[in-house]
Amino acid sequence: MSTVHPTFSPRLLEARDVVAGMRLFRFSSPEGFSFVPGQFLMFWFCDDPKTKRAYSLCGDPAHAGRYFEVAVGMVGAFSERLGRLAPGGEPGLTVSGPFGRWTYDGSLPHAVLVSGGTGIAPFRAMALRRAGLPAGASARLTVCCSARTPELLPFRDEYGDWQRGGAEVVARVTRPEESSRRWKGPVGRWSAADVAAIAGDPEAVYYLCGPNKMVAELRDGLLARSVAPERVRAEKWGDYSDLF
Ligand SMILES: Cc1cc2nc3c(=O)[nH]c(=O)nc-3n(C[C@H](O)[C@H](O)[C@H](O)COP(=O)(O)OP(=O)(O)OC[C@H]3O[C@@H](n4cnc5c(N)ncnc54)[C@H](O)[C@@H]3O)c2cc1C
């Protein structure tokens, strides 16, 4: 039996920049809406129904009955058209979903989430899901973020909330020389050796999200370190590794 995914015209409640070049959109939810972190929606405009783009749900699943959020990097024609939307002015925007089985529901003993740039979007929903678990829950969650510069780390101002919600958060920057701010943390892209060392746990399950090359290299590196294939869950978004 095939699953029916609702299609609806969402109402934009608010939009704001997360960092330069990345906007967060909050839409009101249709009746009965829910999702599992890691799932995504398909977006299109009714004047161009063949151009569809996927965006990961990045808000708190506990609030899905009222609103949902996506965070979008402004990188091309579709994302920039979305970026021009303002509350009350989203004519023809259409959404379908949620879709996807690359999910985290808080039941794993230890999940390690590794992202590049905007790839943090689904991991924000996962960190918020972790924070919503009952006090004392044993689900360990390690969030590994990265961006070119400290000011481009998306949702950096929320790391404290994620940590209070039970997640460990570690960030790297890949091009500190492009920033005027001092960065005392680690530098360079995440490697399989880095994330395996941070996890320190042969039973950890890795979620990888971001540019194709980053995800493929991390996946290969983890498999080469004898991590079982079923413990590496990769989500590739596109071919844009040169941005990191
Ligand atoms: C399952 C899934 C979930 C996704 N979730 C998100 C999300 O939550 N947020 C998000 O911003 N994107 C997400 N994407 C990527 C998104 O669907 C589009 O590919 C992206 O917005 C580019 O579309 P465009 O028409 O603006 O640019 P295009 O003209 O289609 O692409 C322009 C260039 O940007 C590259 N690119 C694609 N995605 C990104 C990105 N995120 N950052 C930098 N460069 C990129 C493309 O590979 C291409 O080289 C997701 C993709 C998939 C498959």
Side-chain angles (χ1 to χ4, degrees), residues 31 108 138 197 243:
E31 207 179 318
L108 286 171
S138 60
L243 286 181

Side-chain angles (χ1 to χ4, degrees), residues 21-23 38-42 51-58 70-82 99 102 116-122 209-212 235-244:
M22 183 181 185
R23 273 180 90 66
Q39 288 190 306
F40 62 92
L41 298 170
M42 293 305 299
T51 305
K52 296 186 176 172
R53 292 289 184 270
Y55 294 105
S56 302
L57 288 146
C58 75
V70 292
V72 179
M74 301 296 122
V75 295
F78 191 91
S79 51
E80 283 164 7
R81 185 171 179 187
L82 273 184
F99 299 98
W102 182 83
T118 49
I120 191 73
C209 186
N212 293 355
E235 184 89 317
K236 293 178 181 171
W237 277 6
D239 193 11
Y240 56 97
S241 298
D242 54 328
L243 286 181
F244 294 96

Side-chain angles (χ1 to χ4, degrees), residues 145-182:
C145 323
S146 70
R148 289 165 71 112
T149 64
E151 45 277 70
L152 287 176
L153 282 168
F155 303 113
R156 195 178 172 197
D157 57 339
E158 298 185 12
Y159 291 177
D161 291 339
W162 302 353
Q163 285 164 327
R164 282 184 288 281
E168 301 150 57
V169 185
V170 270
R172 303 176 75 93
V173 304
T174 58
R175 306 208 190 161
E177 69 281 2
E178 292 180 5
S179 170
S180 54
R181 279 202 223 163
R182 276 224 353 243

Side-chain angles (χ1 to χ4, degrees), residues 1-153:
M1 203 175 79
S2 65
T3 310
V4 176
H5 295 282
T7 297
F8 54 98
S9 301
R11 188 163 61 88
L12 182 62
L13 300 174
E14 66 180 76
R16 67 173 171 89
D17 283 343
V18 178
V19 291
M22 183 181 185
R23 273 180 90 66
L24 180 77
F25 301 91
R26 178 178 289 187
F27 294 96
S28 71
S29 295
E31 207 179 318
F33 186 79
S34 68
F35 72 95
V36 185
Q39 288 190 306
F40 62 92
L41 298 170
M42 293 305 299
F43 285 69
W44 68 95
F45 290 92
C46 62
D47 60 6
D48 183 12
K50 286 192 176 151
T51 305
K52 296 186 176 172
R53 292 289 184 270
Y55 294 105
S56 302
L57 288 146
C58 75
D60 190 338
H63 296 157
R66 289 187 291 129
Y67 62 81
F68 65 89
E69 293 175 325
V70 292
V72 179
M74 301 296 122
V75 295
F78 191 91
S79 51
E80 283 164 7
R81 185 171 179 187
L82 273 184
R84 289 192 290 275
L85 294 181
E90 58 282 344
L93 182 64
T94 313
V95 171
S96 177
F99 299 98
R101 294 190 186 149
W102 182 83
T103 56
Y104 169 81
D105 64 3
S107 61
L108 286 171
H110 187 190
V112 181
L113 320 179
V114 191
S115 68
T118 49
I120 191 73
F123 297 158
R124 178 178 184 252
M126 295 180 188
L128 294 169
R129 169 68 189 131
R130 172 66 189 84
L133 294 178
S138 60
R140 193 175 157 203
L141 190 70
T142 308
V143 189
C144 304
C145 323
S146 70
R148 289 165 71 112
T149 64
E151 45 277 70
L152 287 176
L153 282 168

